[in-house]
Amino acid sequence: MTEDEKYKSEGRAAILKAISHPSRIFIVDKLNEKPYCVCELAEMIGIDQSTTSKHLSILKNAGIIDDTKKGTTVYYSLRCKCLLDFIGCIENVIRMNIDRNKKYMGVGNN
Amino acid sequence: MTEDEKYKSEGRAAILKAISHPSRIFIVDKLNEKPYCVCELAEMIGIDQSTTSKHLSILKNAGIIDDTKKGTTVYYSLRCKCLLDFIGCIENVIRMNIDRNKKYMGVGNN
DNA sequence: AGCTAATATGGCAATATAGCCATATATGAG
DNA sequence: CTCATATATGGCTATATTGCCATATTAGCT
């Protein structure tokens, strides 16, 4: 890899990595509906508030979400709607994987 | 999260995680052109052959790439073209981040 | 069978991540 | 100022990941 390619790949990986966690994917998916605050997300996910806050700061540092304060409450929102289309692509891979498994297991061929 | 939501989020995260590494993003990008074998990719990336093989098996297990043997050589190919569109989305986030940094640093406003 | 080339796998050390608890910080009410 | 609520941060342990080296496996050739 040239320096340029390395830099580019690292940048892309950093963003992907930020989303690559069950709780964070869930957050991105939820924020597509509307903004939510930390405690709402923590409640929905079922993990500690502090852990949720850390997840949100990872997404924020990656430039994936934005935050707005209202009193002591911080609302997070999606910064880039295209992220949803791309989840569609991931779903596509999942569907392909399921089909393949079915084929290997002979489901639908008996 | 309900059991269903948890399962779904874990599935999505598993696929994303598989791609979330500089070398693996690079591989996906390269395989979009055409299939390559392990040693070609190792050479391009500049890492050990064994490490490259492990990266490829991670992508393969996630259902992102396919392999075909020709003699002792194994050619890997992209299984899902939509992955490229989604890299476009990542690029979009990167562009937004750059713009934001410029704004904070006052570039273009003097 | 014996040799070579291409991949894959096991083992290991260094580093990173996820989650919790405890605590710090910040905002608004009284 | 004091208290309560919402977030953020520090510290810690358990676990996972990355990369290399050494070695096993596989396929083709003679």
Side-chain angles (χ1 to χ4, degrees), chain B residues 6 11 13 19 26 43 50 57 68-69 71 91-92 96 105:
Chain B
K6 196 180 164 198
I19 320 176
F26 181 82
E43 162 76 28
S50 68
S57 82
T68 325
K69 280 201 171 185
E91 287 299 322
N92 212 29
M96 283 169 65
M105 294 169 62

Side-chain angles (χ1 to χ4, degrees), chain A residues 3-13, chain B residues 29 91 94:
Chain A
E3 275 305 306
D4 253 24
E5 285 172 327
K6 195 180 165 200
Y7 182 77
K8 193 185 195 177
S9 301
E10 282 170 356
R12 290 170 167 187
Chain B
D29 212 6
E91 287 299 322
I94 292 176

Side-chain angles (χ1 to χ4, degrees), chain A residues 39-99:
Chain A
C39 67
E40 287 170 327
L41 291 166
E43 162 76 28
M44 286 191 272
I45 301 173
I47 57 177
D48 203 85
Q49 169 270 320
S50 68
T51 304
T52 307
S53 179
K54 282 179 187 173
H55 280 309
L56 288 165
S57 80
I58 288 171
L59 289 172
K60 193 189 162 189
N61 285 335
I64 294 162
I65 59 178
D66 266 334
D67 59 339
T68 325
K69 280 200 169 184
K70 275 193 187 167
T72 61
T73 306
V74 179
Y75 287 95
Y76 283 93
S77 54
L78 253 201
R79 200 148 158 264
C80 190
K81 286 293 180 185
C82 66
L83 283 169
L84 253 281
D85 305 337
F86 113 105
I87 285 186
C89 164
I90 301 300
E91 288 298 321
N92 212 30
V93 175
I94 291 176
R95 257 191 306 277
M96 283 170 66
N97 289 349
I98 290 171
D99 290 348

Side-chain angles (χ1 to χ4, degrees), chain A residues 4 8 17 22 28 33-34 37 44 72 91-92 101 109:
Chain A
D4 253 24
K8 193 185 195 177
K17 203 174 164 193
V28 167
E33 294 170 15
K34 62 167 185 163
C37 67
M44 286 191 272
T72 61
E91 288 298 321
N92 212 30
N101 287 343
N109 290 332

Side-chain angles (χ1 to χ4, degrees), chain B residues 4 10 16 22 25 30 34-37 44 47 54-55 74 84 93 95 101 104 107-108:
Chain B
D4 254 23
E10 281 170 357
L16 273 180
I25 282 263
K30 277 294 169 192
K34 62 167 186 163
Y36 283 104
C37 68
M44 287 192 271
I47 56 176
K54 283 179 186 172
H55 280 308
V74 179
L84 252 282
V93 175
R95 257 191 305 279
N101 288 343
Y104 283 154
V107 176

